[in-house]
Amino acid sequence: MAKKVLFVGAGAIGSYIGSFLSRAGHDVTLVDPWAENVETIRQKGITVTGPHDPFEARPTAVHLNEAQRLPRDFEIAFVAMKVYDTAWATQLALRHLRADGYVVASENCWPDPIVASVAGAQRSVGLVMSKIGVALWTPGKVERGMEKGGNKGHDVFRAGEHDGKITKRTEELAEMLKVIDGAFATDNLWGERWCKLCANSMGNPVQGMSGLGGNDIMSSEVGRAITINIAAESARVGQALGYKIPKFNGAAVEQWADAGTRATYETLDRMLTPASAGGRNWRASMAQDVAKGRPSEIDYMNGHVVAKGREAGVPTPVNSAVVEMMHEIDSRARKQAAENIGVTLKRAGI
């Protein structure tokens, strides 16, 4: 059945998911602070490209300053902002939901407790999006850069309740998202969320600090070194916290955690080394943020790993050095440069 759906945030992921749901017949409204993007969607719709047939969608688009005039009868509200904007975005979403409506945290990092602090856990659903990269460089034009997961037996969307129960609403949400790619309701929201946090932490800030694309980073020994060390620390912290963490970026959490062993490190290094030169240098979300002059999510990504590592008694020197480097870039004290990778490793004692 068609749902009435609100998106607070019409950036890359909001525009991408919203466009598919709109095309599938749902009543979709996008609220966004980027005025040019809203006006473009109103006049021309959204052009969607990626590893699927291109199409144009015509969801309703609303300027942020017009949001107070929206009705209060939406069934589902997706919060699709940067994680540091989650609290106010959830408040806006909650105001326009009907009594039995709920908020979906469709963001990176660790947004679910923030959403629950505003909406309550009973009205909060987590949505982990695995192995999907989208970008919105031009108003009204959203592009997906990674391979379509469903064709390879990989389910991109994992909808979960905070208490780990499989519910009718998470199953319905997953079913809705299957028009985009593989999706399922999970009983392991926190393990899935930590899995995605590990994957983001090992890629996003390295691109953000260096200005390099993913393929260039993996083609260099120093790029692979920082990637493996970030992943190893993040995996160990997640294990110490007791999360059930699925495989990420090609290896099991136990293998990443064992990267301090020479044989394991060499195996991971070979796995990450590109088979051939070239390939597309897709820019992850943090690299997109730096390019657009926006604050990064570093405190909520690698910074979260560092904070939880401190609580669990797990050392995180590389993640700590990564956070320090990204703070310098965010504050304009340092510019993006490939040599920042080596500087960060040196600060961490690697």
Side-chain angles (χ1 to χ4, degrees):
M1 294 178 62
K3 299 286 187 181
K4 189 165 185 180
V5 185
L6 176 67
F7 281 80
V8 183
I13 199 65
S15 288
Y16 191 76
I17 297 176
S19 292
F20 272 93
L21 294 184
S22 178
R23 185 176 69 161
H26 298 286
D27 182 355
V28 175
T29 297
L30 309 177
V31 175
D32 200 68
W34 186 10
E36 189 178 0
N37 190 40
V38 171
E39 286 302 314
T40 301
I41 296 170
R42 283 176 166 177
Q43 295 170 23
K44 302 178 181 179
I46 303 174
T47 300
V48 184
T49 57
H52 46 68
D53 292 335
F55 67 93
E56 290 186 357
R58 287 277 183 172
T60 300
V62 175
H63 291 288
L64 182 59
N65 65 306
E66 299 171 333
Q68 68 270 24
R69 296 201 294 268
L70 287 172
R72 302 191 176 195
D73 60 353
F74 289 92
E75 297 168 83
I76 304 171
F78 288 78
V79 172
M81 301 292 293
K82 290 300 171 183
V83 71
Y84 43 73
D85 288 323
T86 300
W88 69 259
T90 303
Q91 289 178 321
L92 191 157
L94 192 63
R95 184 184 311 139
H96 297 285
L97 283 173
R98 68 188 200 184
D100 60 346
Y102 61 91
V103 181
V104 180
S106 51
E107 302 167 299
N108 286 332
C109 305
W110 205 257
D112 306 282
I114 304 174
V115 172
S117 72
V118 177
Q122 72 279 5
R123 301 191 74 184
S124 306
V125 170
L127 181 64
V128 179
M129 298 166 285
S130 173
K131 294 185 180 179
I132 183 170
V134 289
L136 184 72
W137 297 103
T138 304
K141 294 183 179 181
V142 65
E143 174 188 13
R144 179 172 174 182
M146 300 182 73
E147 288 298 321
K148 187 172 172 62
N151 290 341
K152 296 185 176 183
H154 174 78
D155 292 310
V156 169
F157 300 102
R158 296 103 191 271
E161 299 282 5
H162 288 217
D163 61 6
K165 295 178 181 177
I166 301 292
T167 61
K168 181 180 178 181
R169 68 182 183 183
T170 54
E171 290 179 329
E172 287 182 343
L173 179 60
E175 194 63 32
M176 286 173 60
L177 295 171
K178 286 180 181 177
V179 300
I180 309 172
D181 214 315
F184 64 90
T186 180
D187 59 0
N188 183 30
L189 174 62
W190 306 113
E192 292 281 4
R193 187 66 86 184
W194 195 271
C195 174
K196 180 63 185 290
L197 182 69
C198 289
N200 283 152
S201 294
M202 64 194 286
N204 272 264
V206 184
Q207 292 188 30
M209 71 173 67
S210 69
L212 299 174
N215 194 71
D216 286 340
I217 291 168
M218 291 301 100
S219 297
S220 72
E221 184 176 353
V222 69
R224 295 192 299 276
I226 195 169
T227 301
I228 293 170
N229 277 280
I230 291 170
E233 292 178 4
S234 302
R236 292 175 199 136
V237 173
Q239 287 180 316
L241 294 171
Y243 295 130
K244 181 183 176 183
I245 307 168
K247 179 179 180 179
F248 62 91
N249 287 9
V253 66
E254 294 81 7
Q255 190 172 16
W256 289 115
D258 190 50
T261 302
R262 182 171 180 175
T264 302
Y265 183 96
E266 290 176 349
T267 298
L268 292 168
D269 186 68
R270 287 193 297 271
M271 180 192 74
L272 293 178
T273 303
S276 59
R280 189 176 185 192
N281 271 306
W282 181 261
R283 281 190 279 182
S285 60
M286 194 172 294
Q288 295 176 38
D289 292 339
V290 174
K292 294 175 180 179
R294 300 188 302 206
S296 75
E297 295 176 303
I298 193 64
D299 289 331
Y300 302 87
M301 192 173 288
N302 300 73
H304 187 70
V305 174
V306 172
K308 290 299 180 180
R310 191 177 301 117
E311 289 180 15
V314 178
T316 56
V318 178
N319 277 280
S320 296
V322 165
V323 172
E324 179 185 353
M325 176 61 73
M326 283 305 305
H327 281 168
E328 293 176 13
I329 291 170
D330 280 343
S331 68
R332 311 292 198 276
R334 182 183 290 267
K335 293 183 179 180
Q336 276 186 326
E339 55 264 29
N340 289 337
I341 297 174
V343 172
T344 302
L345 283 173
K346 186 175 180 180
R347 288 178 177 178
I350 303 298

